[in-house]
Amino acid sequence: VQLQASGGGLVQAGGSLRLSCVASGRTFSHSAIGWFRQAPGQEREFVAGISWNGDSTHYADSVQGRVTISRDNAKNTVYLQMNSLKPEDTAVYLCAADPKVSEITVVVGQGEYDYWGQGTLVTVSS
Protein backbone atom coordinates (compact mmCIF):
# COMPACT_ATOMS: atom_id res chain seq x y z
CA VAL A 1 0.00 0.00 0.00
CA GLN A 2 1.30 3.42 -0.95
CA LEU A 3 -0.25 6.44 0.73
CA GLN A 4 -0.28 10.11 -0.15
CA ALA A 5 -1.68 12.78 2.14
CA SER A 6 -2.84 16.14 0.82
CA GLY A 7 -5.07 19.06 1.68
CA GLY A 8 -2.90 20.88 4.17
CA GLY A 9 -2.33 24.60 4.12
CA LEU A 10 -2.43 27.83 6.05
CA VAL A 11 -5.68 28.64 7.84
CA GLN A 12 -6.74 31.08 10.51
CA ALA A 13 -7.78 29.88 13.94
CA GLY A 14 -11.39 28.78 13.86
CA GLY A 15 -11.16 27.73 10.24
CA SER A 16 -11.51 24.32 8.61
CA LEU A 17 -9.51 22.01 6.40
CA ARG A 18 -10.19 18.63 4.86
CA LEU A 19 -7.22 16.34 4.48
CA SER A 20 -7.22 13.40 2.09
CA CYS A 21 -5.19 10.22 2.16
CA VAL A 22 -5.20 8.48 -1.21
CA ALA A 23 -3.89 4.95 -1.42
CA SER A 24 -2.80 2.58 -4.11
CA GLY A 25 -2.83 -1.16 -3.65
CA ARG A 26 -5.45 -3.84 -3.34
CA THR A 27 -5.25 -4.13 0.44
CA PHE A 28 -6.36 -0.56 1.15
CA SER A 29 -10.04 -1.42 1.45
CA HIS A 30 -9.13 -4.06 4.04
CA SER A 31 -6.80 -1.81 6.01
CA ALA A 32 -7.41 0.18 9.14
CA ILE A 33 -6.27 3.75 8.55
CA GLY A 34 -4.93 6.24 11.04
CA TRP A 35 -4.06 9.91 10.95
CA PHE A 36 -1.12 11.11 13.01
CA ARG A 37 0.55 14.46 13.41
CA GLN A 38 3.95 15.71 14.37
CA ALA A 39 4.65 19.25 15.42
CA PRO A 40 8.20 20.67 15.36
CA GLY A 41 10.22 19.32 18.25
CA GLN A 42 7.42 17.06 19.43
CA GLU A 43 6.64 13.37 19.29
CA ARG A 44 4.33 12.01 16.63
CA GLU A 45 0.85 11.58 18.06
CA PHE A 46 -2.34 9.79 17.12
CA VAL A 47 -5.16 11.99 15.84
CA ALA A 48 -7.89 9.68 14.53
CA GLY A 49 -8.41 6.17 13.23
CA ILE A 50 -11.01 4.27 11.25
CA SER A 51 -11.67 0.57 10.72
CA TRP A 52 -11.58 -0.84 7.24
CA ASN A 53 -15.34 -1.22 7.06
CA GLY A 54 -15.73 2.38 8.21
CA ASP A 55 -18.05 1.53 11.07
CA SER A 56 -15.60 2.15 13.89
CA THR A 57 -13.70 5.35 14.61
CA HIS A 58 -11.59 6.71 17.44
CA TYR A 59 -10.26 10.17 18.18
CA ALA A 60 -7.60 11.68 20.37
CA ASP A 61 -9.03 13.72 23.24
CA SER A 62 -7.34 16.83 21.86
CA VAL A 63 -9.42 16.75 18.65
CA GLN A 64 -12.62 15.04 19.83
CA GLY A 65 -15.64 16.96 18.61
CA ARG A 66 -13.65 19.03 16.10
CA VAL A 67 -12.43 16.31 13.75
CA THR A 68 -14.20 13.64 11.70
CA ILE A 69 -12.52 10.75 9.94
CA SER A 70 -14.28 8.97 7.09
CA ARG A 71 -13.43 6.77 4.16
CA ASP A 72 -14.55 5.95 0.65
CA ASN A 73 -13.13 2.56 -0.26
CA ALA A 74 -14.37 2.88 -3.83
CA LYS A 75 -12.02 5.86 -4.18
CA ASN A 76 -9.24 4.39 -2.02
CA THR A 77 -9.43 7.54 0.08
CA VAL A 78 -9.68 8.42 3.73
CA TYR A 79 -10.65 11.95 4.78
CA LEU A 80 -9.95 13.99 7.88
CA GLN A 81 -12.33 16.90 8.26
CA MET A 82 -10.93 19.37 10.76
CA ASN A 83 -13.05 22.21 12.11
CA SER A 84 -12.52 24.92 14.72
CA LEU A 85 -8.79 24.69 14.15
CA LYS A 86 -6.44 25.99 16.81
CA PRO A 87 -2.81 27.13 16.59
CA GLU A 88 -1.84 24.02 18.53
CA ASP A 89 -3.14 21.90 15.65
CA THR A 90 -0.20 23.12 13.57
CA ALA A 91 1.77 20.06 12.49
CA VAL A 92 2.64 17.74 9.65
CA TYR A 93 -0.23 15.30 9.28
CA LEU A 94 0.46 11.77 8.09
CA CYS A 95 -1.74 8.81 7.28
CA ALA A 96 -0.90 5.18 7.87
CA ALA A 97 -2.38 1.79 7.01
CA ASP A 98 -2.57 -1.51 8.88
CA PRO A 99 -3.86 -4.39 6.72
CA LYS A 100 -3.57 -7.02 9.45
CA VAL A 101 -6.68 -6.31 11.50
CA SER A 102 -10.34 -7.29 11.42
CA GLU A 103 -12.97 -5.19 9.69
CA ILE A 104 -14.11 -3.48 12.89
CA THR A 105 -10.75 -2.73 14.48
CA VAL A 106 -9.39 0.78 14.92
CA VAL A 107 -5.62 0.90 15.40
CA VAL A 108 -4.27 3.54 17.75
CA GLY A 109 -0.65 2.55 18.29
CA GLN A 110 1.65 3.94 15.63
CA GLY A 111 3.92 0.92 15.99
CA GLU A 112 1.14 -1.28 14.63
CA TYR A 113 0.99 0.43 11.27
CA ASP A 114 2.86 -1.11 8.36
CA TYR A 115 2.59 1.62 5.75
CA TRP A 116 3.10 5.36 6.04
CA GLY A 117 2.60 8.17 3.61
CA GLN A 118 4.40 11.46 3.34
CA GLY A 119 2.72 14.15 5.33
CA THR A 120 0.91 17.33 4.57
CA LEU A 121 1.60 20.50 6.53
CA VAL A 122 -1.20 22.23 8.40
CA THR A 123 -0.46 25.68 9.77
CA VAL A 124 -3.03 27.46 11.92
CA SER A 125 -2.42 31.13 12.55
CA SER A 126 -3.77 32.94 15.60
Side-chain angles (χ1 to χ4, degrees):
V1 178
Q2 292 184 321
L3 305 169
Q4 179 64 53
S6 63
L10 174 63
V11 63
Q12 289 188 331
S16 298
L17 281 174
R18 188 176 79 159
L19 307 184
S20 298
C21 175
V22 180
S24 61
R26 291 178 293 173
T27 59
F28 172 81
S29 61
H30 289 176
S31 295
I33 301 294
W35 281 98
F36 292 79
R37 67 185 182 186
Q38 187 164 19
Q42 296 189 23
E43 298 283 324
R44 183 183 297 173
E45 63 175 359
F46 173 83
V47 176
I50 189 166
S51 60
W52 62 258
N53 70 357
D55 287 347
S56 301
T57 59
H58 185 72
Y59 299 94
D61 290 344
S62 58
V63 302
Q64 181 75 48
R66 301 188 295 120
V67 166
T68 302
I69 188 171
S70 61
R71 67 189 298 160
D72 185 341
N73 285 341
K75 296 182 179 179
N76 274 12
T77 303
V78 170
Y79 303 100
L80 190 71
Q81 177 67 45
M82 303 190 297
N83 301 321
S84 302
L85 283 162
K86 304 175 182 180
E88 51 264 44
D89 294 318
T90 294
V92 173
Y93 284 72
L94 309 98
C95 56
D98 181 354
K100 307 183 302 293
V101 296
S102 70
E103 62 181 341
I104 62 170
T105 300
V106 179
V107 181
V108 177
Q110 57 182 295
E112 301 298 318
Y113 284 92
D114 296 312
Y115 304 98
W116 290 82
Q118 292 186 332
T120 185
L121 177 62
V122 172
T123 303
V124 184
S125 63
S126 57

